[in-house]
Amino acid sequence: VGTGGTTLVNTSTVTAATQADHVPANNSASKSVLVQSADLGLAMTVDNAAPNEGATITYTLTLTNNGPDAAGGITISDLLPAGLTFVSATPSQGGYVNGTGLWTVGSLATSASATLTLRATVNAGTGGTTLANSASVTASDHRDLVAGNNSASKSVTVQSADLGLGLAVNNATPTVGSTIVFTLTLTNNGPNTAGSITVTNLLPAGLTYVSSSPSQGGYVSGSGVWTVGTIASSTSATLTLTATVD
C-alpha cells in the first residue's frame, strides 16, 4: 500500500558456510520491481451554467490517464444533485448507473481519455438557486500520485425573474359612448432577464376594442394575448388599449 511509482529492491546474500568460498563475488543476488502508478485526472464542463427551470442541460465528464502506466478497475462517482432530474447517460466506455451515480470505466491506457455525458432537466421550484454537481475517482488498481485532480465539480445557477403587472385607466367614471385608455405596465424586477413572456388582457363585455399600442411585441384583440417576448432585469414594457364604452 502506498508504494506506487517506487522501485523495490529484494537482495539475498550468503552469510555462512563450512567451507571457504573462493569466489565471493557471486555470493549475493538482487532483483528490483517498479510498482505501477497512474495519475488519473478528472475535468467537468456544462453546456449551460445559467439555465431556466425546465431546461435540459448536459454535463461532460472527462477522465484522463496521465500515466506513467495503464490503469484498471477504475470507477467514478457522479450522482446528480437534488434539483436535477436524470434524462440519459452516454459513456464512451463502461457503464453508468443513475441510481448510484457510479460510472464503471474499466481500464484506461496511459495518455488516453474516456468521457461521460449526463443529460438532466432542471426541476420546477429551483429558480434562484445554485446546483453543484461533483464527481470523483472512487477506485483504481494503481496508486494515484496526484490526488489533487481526482475530483471535479461544476455549478449552475437557475434563472429567476419577478414579473410585476400594473394597470391604469385614464377615466374611471366614463359615460356611455366615451373613449377610455387602459395602460398596462409589465416590469421585470429581476434578478435575471426573462423571455417568452405573454400577458393576457381581454377587454370585458361592455367595452368595444378600438386600438392597441404595445411598446414591444404584438397584441391580438380577439384573444387578448400580448406577446411580449424578452424583458431585461429592471426594465419595463407597456401596452395601451383604447376602447369605447357601449
Side-chain angles (χ1 to χ4, degrees):
V1 177
T3 58
T6 62
T7 300
L8 308 179
V9 181
N10 184 23
T11 302
S12 298
T13 305
V14 177
T15 55
T18 57
Q19 277 78 28
D21 193 325
H22 299 291
V23 187
N26 64 358
N27 286 8
S28 63
S30 64
K31 183 62 67 175
S32 298
V33 295
L34 176 61
V35 183
Q36 301 283 285
S37 64
D39 170 26
L40 299 177
L42 274 177
M44 183 187 294
T45 61
V46 65
D47 66 339
N48 185 0
N52 291 310
E53 293 181 8
T56 299
I57 59 176
T58 302
Y59 292 97
T60 301
L61 187 62
T62 303
L63 173 68
T64 302
N65 182 357
N66 300 306
D69 301 302
I74 306 169
T75 59
I76 306 294
S77 175
D78 188 357
L79 185 61
L80 292 173
L84 296 177
T85 298
F86 173 80
V87 175
S88 64
T90 306
S92 65
Q93 67 181 68
Y96 177 82
V97 178
N98 171 48
T100 61
L102 285 183
W103 174 22
T104 305
V105 182
S107 298
L108 197 60
T110 184
S111 300
S113 296
T115 59
L116 169 68
T117 58
L118 293 175
R119 297 179 69 245
T121 55
V122 181
N123 294 350
T126 56
T129 64
T130 297
L131 309 177
N133 182 28
S134 299
S136 60
V137 178
T138 55
S140 172
D141 64 2
H142 282 42
R143 182 190 179 197
D144 196 321
L145 302 179
V146 185
N149 62 359
N150 287 3
S151 61
S153 64
K154 190 63 68 173
S155 295
V156 299
T157 300
V158 185
Q159 302 288 283
S160 65
D162 171 23
L163 300 178
L165 275 176
L167 182 60
V169 65
N170 69 332
N171 185 359
T173 57
T175 58
V176 173
S178 63
T179 298
I180 59 175
V181 178
F182 293 96
T183 301
L184 185 63
T185 302
L186 174 66
T187 301
N188 181 358
N189 298 306
N192 303 118
T193 297
S196 301
I197 305 169
T198 60
V199 175
T200 299
N201 188 353
L202 185 61
L203 291 173
L207 295 178
T208 298
Y209 171 82
V210 175
S211 65
S212 60
S213 179
S215 64
Q216 67 180 68
Y219 178 80
V220 178
S221 61
S223 63
V225 173
W226 173 23
T227 305
V228 184
T230 300
I231 300 182
S233 177
S234 302
T235 62
S236 299
T238 59
L239 169 68
T240 59
L241 293 174
T242 303
T244 56
V245 181
D246 295 347

